[in-house]
Structure formats: C-alpha cells, structure tokens
Amino acid sequence: MLEKNILLIHTGGTISMSEDTSGAVKPGAKNPLTEEAQILSGLANLIVEEPFNLPSPHITPKEMMTLKRIIEHHYNQGGIDGVVITHGTDTLEETAYFLDLTVQADLPIVVTGAMRSSNEIGADGLYNLISSIRVALSREAKGKGVLIVLNDEIHTAENATKTHTSNVSTFQSPQYGPIGIVTKRGIFFHHMPASRENYQIEDPSKRVVLIKAHAGMDSSLLLAVKELQVDGVVIEALGQGNLPPSAMEGIRALISDNIPVVIVSRCFNGVVQDIYGYEGGGKHLKDCGVIFSNGLNGQKARIKLLIALAMTNNMKEIDKMFSL
C-alpha cells in the first residue's frame, strides 16, 4: 500500500481539453486526465476533486476561494501529504499566487497545466501532472510556498509568469529563474524563497482594475475608473515607476477619494523605485501617495491589492504589505 496521499484538484484548462476534427480545442464530456488515473495510481493514493471545469479566462477570485477552502478542509481533516492543482495556463499564475498568499495549510501545494491538449502530438499535460505529483511528494517541497511545475522546472508562485503564448517552456521567473528541477532520478531544489507572506481573508470581492501606461497617456481613463467607483487601481508604469505628467490629474483624483493606486513596472525585469523628481516621476508619485510594489508584475499586484482590500482600507497598512 502506498504511504502518501495527494489531494488532486482538477479545475479545467487546456490540460483537461481535447482537439476536435476542426482543430478547435475545448472541454469534452470527460476529463481526459481521469482516464489516465491508472498511470498516476502508482505514485500516491489520489484523492480527486473536480469542483468546476473552466477555461482559465473564466476563473475569478470566487473560484480561487473555492480552491482555498477545499485545500484547508482536507488539511484540517488530516490524511493528505500534498496538493496538486491542474489549471489553465492563461491565469494559472494568478490563482497560484492567490493561494500562496491565503491558504492556511503547511504542506506542499503545486499548480500545473499544459500548453497542448490531451490528444495533440507532443501533449505535455500528463507529464506535467506526474512531475507535479512527484514534487508534491518531495519532503523538500514543504515550506517553499505554492509552487508552479511545468516542463521539468519548479518555480515559485510569486515569480513565475507566462512568457510565451504557445511554447511548452512558457513559464519563467524573470530575474530569479526556477528554484528547482525535475529529473528522472529525483526532485532537486537549488535555492528557496527568502521570506513568506500569508493572510487570512474571507471575501475578496473588492473591485481592482489593472491599467498599462503608455507614451502620451492622459487622465481620461483614470478619471473614468474613478467614476466607476472601483476599490483599487494597479498601474503598469513606465521604467522604474514613472507616468506622463498628463496622467497626474487622474492619479490625484483617485488618491483624494481614498482609492489606493499601486505602481509596478511594465518592464519584466527590475523593481519600481521613487527615483525621478520631475512631474509624473517616481518621487513625485510617491509624494502624492502612490504605493510602490516590490517587484510584482501587474496581474499579481492586482491579486495582492485584492487581498489587502479584503482586510483593510488603511492606506498605510496596504503600503506596508507591498513593501514586503
């Protein structure tokens, strides 16, 4: 009898889809991974849950909270040694980061997916799933937060991002690289995160929008967002964290309404800093009350702001969270 139990949660995505005769990739009546259960059964005792079957563009914080609660339920009941989640790749990094920040469970959690559907030549889903179960069974995976495993690489949920629309090596961690690798002989970690964050939330229902800055950007979109009565704004700013001066009217209007504005860079390497003192420059933005995020990309800063707003409306407390 196998010694370890893995909670396997299927959520949908390409890894759970098939290509039809017209070339369209879509969900079928059955999850093809279920039919491969015999192959997986030799790795661990699998406890399988399939709370929904959705393409990842359909995933919202509601589904992310469902996954959090399923994991915590099984963890509190006892009897599981790790968790593996199959997920569509388009928003996989957001779900993984949400779980990394919120799940109250001290055990390996791995999120995986596929770039090719189950019946395409070179399908990568089953291999990625087997690799993920092996990582979740690894003693060294514990204490490293939620992990993303695809293409023989192990990445942190905080740093991994989808970098290519179709390549099987799409998930990369700019600046940092993977923290481990999967080989035929074993699972090898070569470094680990220096710190961890975790927050207890119940209702991530606030409205947070993500905007990308560009040359000549004015305040019209920012003022429109303010009128929509959103709860928070994340801006992928220019360079080290700068905006055109014509955007400052909108920035001031949002902050005067106590709407937190978080700045990240539209560059995929580096961090934002309050360096430049000209109008719209980082120092100017900081002085106006804009919050600078410590190295997150836009979509993950949005997830973090969503979680922050589920706990507090205090600007100073939110700013402190983003400095971690």
Side-chain angles (χ1 to χ4, degrees), residues 46 65 81 99 104 117 119 134 149 208 256 274 277 279 294:
L46 299 180
M65 278 297 292
D81 300 287
L99 296 175
Q104 310 294 307
S117 60
N119 60 345
R134 291 177 62 206
V149 174
V208 178
S256 68
D274 53 333
E279 186 179 4
N294 189 16

Side-chain angles (χ1 to χ4, degrees), residues 77-288:
Q77 292 288 105
I80 61 170
D81 300 287
V83 179
V84 173
I85 302 166
T86 65
H87 196 289
T89 58
D90 285 352
T91 61
L92 184 153
E93 64 190 89
E94 286 157 271
T95 295
Y97 188 53
F98 179 93
L99 296 175
D100 188 52
L101 291 178
T102 63
V103 168
Q104 310 294 307
D106 184 23
L107 78 176
I109 300 173
V110 179
V111 187
T112 191
M115 297 305 293
R116 297 171 184 154
S117 60
S118 63
N119 60 345
E120 289 185 64
I121 295 173
D124 54 331
L126 182 59
Y127 183 84
N128 285 337
L129 178 53
I130 291 171
S131 296
S132 297
I133 293 173
R134 291 177 62 206
V135 171
L137 290 169
S138 168
R139 184 183 305 168
E140 290 75 18
K142 188 175 180 180
K144 292 180 172 62
V146 174
L147 302 172
I148 293 175
V149 174
L150 290 94
N151 201 40
D152 284 335
E153 292 184 341
I154 307 168
H155 296 262
T156 65
E158 181 177 6
N159 293 323
T161 190
K162 188 174 182 178
T163 65
H164 194 286
T165 58
S166 58
N167 197 296
V168 294
S169 63
T170 181
F171 279 92
Q172 304 291 327
S173 295
Q175 297 191 99
Y176 307 105
I179 66 168
I181 58 173
V182 179
T183 74
K184 292 182 183 296
R185 297 287 182 253
I187 309 301
F188 299 99
F189 288 92
H190 43 72
H191 63 272
M192 66 179 292
S195 61
R196 292 282 314 283
E197 297 174 68
N198 197 260
Y199 307 100
Q200 180 61 276
I201 63 167
E202 295 297 331
D203 184 23
S205 59
K206 301 293 187 179
R207 299 176 64 200
V208 178
V209 298
L210 173 59
I211 297 171
K212 190 163 190 168
H214 54 270
M217 176 183 180
D218 61 19
S219 291
S220 55
L221 184 56
L222 298 173
L223 293 172
V225 163
K226 174 179 172 291
E227 293 304 313
L228 291 173
Q229 297 183 327
V230 301
D231 300 294
V233 178
V234 175
I235 302 175
E236 291 186 0
L238 310 173
Q240 292 189 67
N242 311 302
L243 292 174
S246 50
M248 290 308 301
E249 178 191 356
I251 294 292
R252 294 189 189 95
L254 289 166
I255 293 173
S256 68
D257 261 21
N258 203 40
I259 299 171
V261 178
V262 174
I263 289 287
V264 303
S265 179
R266 69 179 194 178
C267 304
F268 61 85
N269 278 316
V271 298
V272 287
Q273 301 177 90
D274 53 333
I275 301 297
Y276 291 98
Y278 53 75
E279 186 179 4
K283 190 174 187 309
H284 187 207
L285 291 171
K286 187 79 168 179
D287 291 343
C288 288

